[in-house]
Amino acid sequence: MAADTRAAAASVLGDVLRGKSLNQALPARLEKVAGKDRSLLQQLCYGTLRQGPRLQAILAQLLDKPLKDKDADLRGLLLCGLYQLDSMRIPDHAAVAETVGATRALNKNWARGMANAVLRRFLREREQLAAALDDAAAASHPRWLYEKVWAQWPAAAAAIVAANNQQPPMTLRVNTCRQGRADYLADLSDHGIEASAGAISPHAIQLAQPQDVFELPGFAAGAVSVQDEAAQMAAILLGAAAGERVLDACAAPGGKTCHILELQPQLQELVAMDIDRLRLDKVGENLVRLGLEATTLPGDAARPPPQLAAASFDRILVDAPCSASGVVRRHPDVKLLRRASDIAAMAKTQSHILSGLWPLLKPGGTLLYATCSILDEENSQVVRRFLHEQDDAELIDTAIEWGQAVDCGRQLLPAPGGTDGLFYTLLRKLTPA
Ligand SMILES: C[S@@+](CC[C@H](N)C(=O)[O-])C[C@H]1O[C@@H](n2cnc3c(N)ncnc32)[C@H](O)[C@@H]1O
């Protein structure tokens, strides 16, 4: 029933409002709803969170007194109701009726009348309510992020904000061990799937419409993986050569691990490490599907486990945990979950990870530091501090044409129809004189 799907969305959104990520909250709920309702549930959750800051500010105007923390599911349902009225092509009367009907699942007698009153008042006063929003709420961004984007990227800010509010394209990485991009594009065309070659990665294909991966030709057998073009630049930049030992230090779920192996099947060894054992299982699953081999290892990159010997890796990839400010369109829960104060804490973790891994790199070896952040605090500032503290590290100057040069590396910025926002920098370990 449609009201059940709204109730499921309310429960997922309630979990996110209580602090869970969408990746933690959604999959279990998706499994419980009927197959035909799954895409609606996904749309309700992703769409409501994309518009989250705007809808929260509208809801605040519509409530006589703030909801309590224990009413997070009701808040989720009201936000989801407002999202349907504000942004979806569902007739108003149906959106109101289904959302009000979904209050039954909340076991709060008073919620029905309240939801009805809030949604109907929104329909009567939508123009005045929208006019009263401040600039950050109107752009559906938390104030701290909105201000940082405008301060750090004045020329690109409008495009970044617009991209953050859109559904991202679905991009594939062709497994070039199996076939070339042109051949796979032909396969897609034979299956009636509209697609085009990516703009910056030679292995990328952008689909005109998102698809169930199992409807893509050869997916189960490892012909392609889903990966944004910006993320595909990591393995290309790392440039691992035959016979080398490579450490992918923050590897899960393994998108970049697998790409490194696809590009260089003759490595001596690739160690894929992650602090999160459950996420590390995903690396194993991806390796199996693609027919690739790596050593998976649970471990903290800031304090690497003893089996990783000093100076034993030719190349290290550090795809560091970060604010995800460059991939907001894929993780819209970031808008509600992340706080301004998280950024300094992230930068500290990133610095500890860099210093922890550096001794593992051979003299003459290279380390690629990457984040999916567009914030200078997590990118150039972390690298600049590291270079200041580490006498035997230097920046490698690469002749890259994509993205833009920043103080200590290369930045790709989100833009409508474009790539995710990733930062990359390559560091070399100097050989002792
Ligand atoms: C951006 S994700 C990596 C994505 C991955 N490289 C890919 O392409 O599929 C960051 C990863 O870092 C892991 N992580 C966080 N802190 C870590 C630490 N101290 N040591 C190792 N891994 C860590 C997280 O569990 C997460 O899987």
Side-chain angles (χ1 to χ4, degrees):
M1 260 177 60
D4 292 343
T5 314
R6 268 72 173 183
S11 158
V12 172
L13 294 166
D15 280 349
V16 173
L17 290 165
R18 281 185 288 264
K20 269 194 186 174
S21 74
L22 191 53
N23 280 345
Q24 291 167 326
L26 182 59
R29 283 277 158 193
L30 271 179
E31 273 174 28
K32 283 188 194 147
V33 299
K36 65 177 176 41
D37 296 328
R38 284 196 188 135
S39 91
L40 175 61
L41 176 56
Q42 247 165 332
Q43 195 186 354
L44 291 174
C45 293
Y46 275 87
T48 303
L49 290 171
R50 266 190 202 112
Q51 290 299 319
R54 174 185 156 80
L55 299 174
Q56 293 258 51
I58 290 177
L59 183 59
Q61 296 181 65
L62 289 167
L63 293 173
D64 295 332
K65 52 180 185 190
L67 286 168
K68 303 204 167 97
D69 287 350
K70 67 181 170 65
D71 295 323
D73 283 12
L74 174 58
R75 175 180 284 278
L77 183 64
L78 294 172
L79 293 173
C80 177
L82 291 173
Y83 169 67
Q84 294 164 67
L85 297 175
D86 198 38
S87 308
M88 281 180 85
R89 283 198 221 124
I90 298 176
D92 290 347
H93 63 88
V96 172
E98 298 296 352
T99 306
V100 169
T103 56
R104 263 197 303 274
L106 301 175
N107 291 325
K108 290 180 174 121
N109 290 337
W110 50 273
R112 186 180 176 83
M114 194 243 223
N116 197 29
V118 161
L119 298 180
R120 289 189 187 284
R121 187 169 152 215
F122 172 77
L123 288 174
R124 287 194 305 275
E125 298 177 21
R126 60 201 308 168
E127 277 85 25
Q128 301 93 296
L129 291 162
L133 298 175
D134 66 29
D135 52 358
S140 200
H141 276 57
R143 172 143 298 283
W144 70 268
L145 179 59
Y146 189 75
E147 285 179 357
K148 274 192 191 295
V149 169
W150 277 98
Q152 296 190 15
W153 300 105
I160 294 171
V161 165
N164 288 349
N165 291 341
Q166 287 181 358
Q167 191 180 347
M170 182 167 169
T171 307
L172 306 179
R173 181 188 80 232
V174 178
N175 181 355
T176 46
C177 292
R178 307 276 173 91
Q179 69 189 124
R181 175 165 72 176
D183 287 344
Y184 195 75
L185 275 167
D187 279 0
L188 287 173
S189 171
D190 290 346
H191 283 75
I193 299 174
E194 201 186 324
S196 54
I200 57 169
S201 161
H203 316 129
I205 288 181
Q206 203 175 101
L207 300 182
Q209 298 297 329
Q211 294 281 330
D212 178 342
V213 285
F214 292 102
E215 281 167 21
L216 297 170
F219 177 82
V224 281
S225 300
V226 177
Q227 188 180 44
D228 188 79
E229 255 193 280
Q232 295 185 27
M233 304 320 289
I236 295 171
L237 272 178
L238 191 68
E244 290 185 339
R245 282 194 87 227
V246 174
L247 172 64
D248 185 354
C250 303
K256 299 183 184 75
T257 305
C258 294
H259 196 199
I260 294 168
L261 291 163
E262 286 169 7
L263 293 188
Q264 183 46 265
Q266 306 291 327
L267 291 178
Q268 188 192 128
E269 187 184 19
L270 189 151
V271 178
M273 180 167 81
D274 203 277
I275 201 165
D276 184 329
R277 281 170 189 267
L278 284 178
R279 281 173 63 84
L280 202 57
D281 289 345
K282 296 269 171 225
V283 180
E285 288 165 21
N286 280 320
L287 288 166
V288 167
R289 182 180 64 83
L290 292 161
L292 301 167
E293 275 180 36
T295 307
T296 54
L297 176 72
D300 180 352
R303 274 178 289 158
Q307 57 266 54
L308 299 183
S312 61
F313 290 100
D314 299 280
R315 289 174 211 258
I316 298 180
L317 168 60
V318 187
D319 190 13
C322 70
S323 63
S325 55
V327 287
V328 172
R329 59 186 189 164
R330 295 191 192 278
H331 301 282
D333 47 343
V334 162
K335 289 180 173 182
L336 296 191
L337 294 176
R338 209 59 86 220
R339 301 277 173 267
S341 57
D342 295 341
I343 306 305
M346 288 283 180
K348 212 165 166 187
T349 302
Q350 291 149 358
S351 293
H352 287 153
I353 287 178
L354 270 182
S355 323
L357 293 169
W358 193 248
L360 305 183
L361 191 63
K362 288 182 187 171
T366 51
L367 181 148
L368 177 61
Y369 175 74
T371 70
C372 49
S373 172
I374 57 168
L375 302 179
D376 194 49
E377 295 90 322
E378 299 179 276
N379 297 338
S380 288
Q381 287 184 29
V382 169
V383 177
R384 183 60 63 205
R385 225 172 13 250
F386 179 73
L387 288 168
H388 185 69
E389 287 162 7
Q390 203 71 50
D391 295 346
D392 59 351
E394 70 172 8
L395 279 178
I396 299 177
D397 203 6
T398 47
I400 299 174
E401 286 178 356
W402 42 264
Q404 34 188 303
V406 287
D407 177 28
C408 285
R410 206 79 194 169
Q411 182 75 57
L412 284 157
L413 292 173
T419 71
D420 286 345
L422 267 68
F423 170 82
Y424 287 114
T425 198
L426 269 172
L427 300 169
R428 180 185 295 112
K429 190 172 201 171
L430 301 171
T431 28

